[in-house]
Amino acid sequence: MSLQKARIQVFDEALGKDVIDLEYLRELAFQGIPDANGLRPLVWRILLLYLPLEKNLWKSTLQQKRQHYRNYIEEIIVSPGGPSDHPLNVSPDSSWSAYFKDNEVLLQIDKDVRRLCPDISFFQLATEFPCPEIAYSNGVKRLHRRVQQSVLRFSTLERRGLGVAKLSNEIRRKDTHAGDYAPLREGREAHWEVVERMLFLYAKLNPGQGYVQGMNEIIGPIYHTFACDPNIEYRRYAEADCFFCFTNLMAEIRDFYIRTLDESSSGINNVMVKLSECLKKNDPMIWNLLEVQELRPQYYSFRWLTLLLSQEFSLPDLERIWDTLFADAKRFDFLICICCAMMYLIRHEILHGDFASNVKLLQNFPPMDVSLILNKALDISKKQNRVNFTVCTLDPTRPCLVGCTRTGATHSRRVAGNSATS
Amino acid sequence: MAKKTYDLLFKLLLIGDSGVGKTCILFRFSDNHFTTTFISTIGIDFKIKTVELRGKKIKLQIWDTAGQERFHTITTSYYRGAMGIMLVYDITNEKTFDDIVKWLRNIDEHANEDVEKMILGNKCDMEEKRVVSKERGEAIAREHSIRFMETSAKANINIDRAFSELAEAILDKTSGREADADHARIAVERRPSRAPPTRACCT
């Protein structure tokens, strides 16, 4: 049996239980989820606590959640009930003013979803499962319609003597800059339109947070993974399932996105400080050099951490990294170890670079075998925790050697070796 | 450590609303290339280009910032060290122009008092979608005694010129400081009193 097949089997067995052992599944996923049989999207649904551990609840949970999502679309987008007062009402709780505020959010989302993962064509392609109420609405229910820029046509009426008038200066304006992320024809929807809808619903349902740039980079890879599921039944509901998984994930990292929490313990500044401390401990030489060069962590790590590295790696590599991140029970401590490992692995270049070349290098992380990074991150993590931080091997039949509380699994210190090739 | 291959180092900053084309302007200037396939800037980005002005090699260190409100606390920390700031709006988007005032206030609050500023009305190749006239751009620039130019990263209009004018203005100040106080004052005053550049763009 090939290694890949063996891994698939181990996952199948873990998922075959009536009640899934989350801790065990985390250990498995930490080493990477095989890119086969729709395992990744399914396991992500469990790791992100969307699917319950009791499998007999899956059907009803999915039904219920997907119905909720349909209701959101209906209530918020399809028939929200028009504003009840007039557009010039200056009262802050005027329904028109709310409508205009929504459009500001939508405008920002619209700009960002049209520049999501431009290196792959996926988001510009049509989804197999458009939302019929929106796709067949003569365009009027399409969100981007609400914020589409249009220029009024005008012409000047010239009077030339009695009864002679001439229209002139007519300026013809047409939309010539739709670009690649153009909306599709009636009845079809592009994947970026689906992402736009999810982000708008999220902003509406989480008004305290709204939409912040970068959220598109978090939801994009999840949606891509779900929408490419080989299982058509899961693929059909990729949008609804992705919406809730994204919501759950954001619940854990949303403080990174809130400006007023920047200085709080869960805010982004503190996470950047943690990374800096981790680097100081594990590679004082680079840490020191960057200090001397006054190369501040926020120049590079703000983006790394806020986006969970989604702009630093290609999609397949990122999916592999997210397997590990989502499997990290102490989310997202391991993220810091990964970032630290990334820096360690280019330490030679950093040590020979000046300020400018080092900023460039860190902002454009060179392509690298992801398993190398994850292995190094695991080393760092073990040192950091000063405990036996271990990962199960593939063989669940042999006894545990390193004191894991879970019975029936061997542990090894290897990580990622098998999955990076999958 | 790399050998110093330049005479002067100028730190520049690009600010403005999200989607006005800051990253595209910088990419056109640094790599002489245009692409619409840019991801949104999160936090801050960075490019370097060396130019030659009056026989001096000047290394421009240019910081590209994220436009959205959320990133302001991160990005305003860069204002202090900046010697030149480019404020960019999009001539096809009214709000980005209205917000220029807000960005100017940000500069007043966070940047050095003598920072050189320049307003750029970008996307001037998209005449059929224009909503902000060139006159309005010139007017706001005049009101604040700031240089102004309309640019297009896509059609490569005025991009190099914008950067060299800004760099030259900084150079004037720098050499002014080296000379005696009187000269410095003249050097500083000479440029702002000059009418904004009027070379035709996008006509």
Side-chain angles (χ1 to χ4, degrees), chain A residues 104 108 111-112 115 117-118 149 151 173-177 211-214 216-217 256-259 262 268-269 289 293 298-299 302-303 307 311 353-356 359-360 363, chain B residues 1-2 18-19 37-48 59 61 63 66-74 77-78 92-93 95-96 125-131 154:
Chain A
E104 268 178 42
Q108 183 65 62
K111 279 179 193 168
D112 289 345
R115 40 184 180 173
C117 304
Q149 289 251 343
V151 180
R173 295 166 196 266
K174 55 181 194 285
D175 191 355
T176 52
H177 290 274
Y211 170 75
V212 179
Q213 284 191 295
N216 57 326
E217 308 278 348
F256 298 176
Y257 287 82
I258 301 175
R259 188 178 163 183
D262 277 352
I268 191 69
N269 283 348
L289 177 71
Q293 292 185 345
Q298 63 263 34
Y299 296 172
F302 178 83
R303 189 176 74 198
L307 303 185
Q311 278 188 356
D354 60 3
F355 172 85
V359 180
K360 270 194 190 166
Q363 288 191 345
Chain B
M1 208 63 78
S18 158
T37 59
F38 267 121
I39 48 182
S40 42
T41 308
I42 304 297
I44 192 130
D45 233 322
F46 174 83
K47 292 251 186 225
I48 286 268
K59 189 165 177 176
Q61 196 184 81
W63 295 90
Q68 206 188 6
E69 188 84 21
R70 188 265 168 268
F71 303 104
H72 286 187
T73 34
I74 302 287
S77 58
Y78 299 84
T92 72
N93 187 325
K95 186 169 182 299
T96 65
D125 58 291
M126 291 164 81
E127 197 54 55
E128 74 281 5
K129 284 186 137 191
R130 175 194 285 274
V131 290
K154 191 177 185 180

Side-chain angles (χ1 to χ4, degrees), chain A residues 273-290:
Chain A
V273 168
K274 274 191 191 163
L275 171 59
S276 185
E277 283 167 359
C278 182
L279 183 69
K280 189 177 179 181
K281 209 154 138 196
N282 286 282
D283 196 336
M285 229 168 134
I286 317 181
W287 181 85
N288 200 42
L289 177 71
L290 297 181

